[in-house]
């Protein structure tokens, strides 16, 4: 498989987590071969091409920081989806988890 690149463009905020703790408004992040290779203002990376581009205008991006463990059934993503009086929503939660994609 050829190397893949991903660009998240025009992110509302990019929290760099670098030494200066920069917060970049209207930022962009380029990922090449699974590694963050560039972070900056969207205008600075405007000419940078990628195999896939994600519109980040409604996103807060934290390159290099990720949550490796999450229980969606315990958190806000399922709040209000299932009736509170239901004995156990686990069947529905498992169906929801099965429908999730990488995106």
């Amino acid at each position: 498989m050829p190397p893949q690149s991903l660009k998240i463009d025009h992110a509302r905020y990019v929290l760099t987590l670098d030494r200066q703790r920069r917060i970049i408004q209207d930022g962009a992040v380029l990922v090449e071969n699974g590694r963050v290779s560039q972070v900056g203002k969207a205008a600075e990376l405007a000419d940078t091409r990628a195999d896939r581009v994600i519109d980040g205008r409604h996103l807060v991006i934290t390159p290099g920081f990720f949550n490796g463990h999450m229980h969606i059934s315990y958190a806000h993503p399922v709040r209000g989806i299932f009736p509170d009086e239901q004995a156990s929503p686990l069947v529905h939660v498992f169906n929801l988890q099965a429908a999730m994609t990488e995106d």
Side-chain angles (χ1 to χ4, degrees):
M1 173 182 258
Q4 295 291 311
S5 58
L6 166 70
K7 183 179 179 183
I8 304 173
D9 207 11
H10 295 285
R12 177 164 279 183
Y13 296 102
V14 177
L15 309 180
T16 65
L17 304 177
D18 63 10
R19 291 177 190 208
Q20 295 81 31
R21 300 287 194 239
R22 293 178 300 146
I23 298 174
I24 303 170
Q25 289 184 283
D26 190 29
V29 176
L30 180 66
V31 178
E32 297 176 296
N33 300 317
R35 299 190 72 134
V36 175
S37 61
Q38 294 184 54
V39 176
K41 295 288 274 181
E44 296 169 356
L45 277 73
D47 293 332
T48 304
R49 302 289 169 234
D51 298 318
R52 180 176 176 209
V53 177
I54 295 174
D55 177 3
R57 77 181 86 184
H58 301 293
L59 303 176
V60 175
I61 311 300
T62 56
F65 178 80
F66 64 93
N67 178 3
H69 184 101
M70 183 172 101
H71 297 268
I72 68 165
S73 58
Y74 305 154
H76 300 291
V78 297
R79 173 80 61 201
I81 293 177
F82 311 116
D84 290 336
E85 68 275 358
Q86 198 170 33
S88 175
L90 287 180
V91 170
H92 301 291
V93 169
F94 294 143
N95 288 336
L96 179 63
Q97 287 175 331
M100 294 180 77
T101 67
E102 184 177 314
D103 289 339

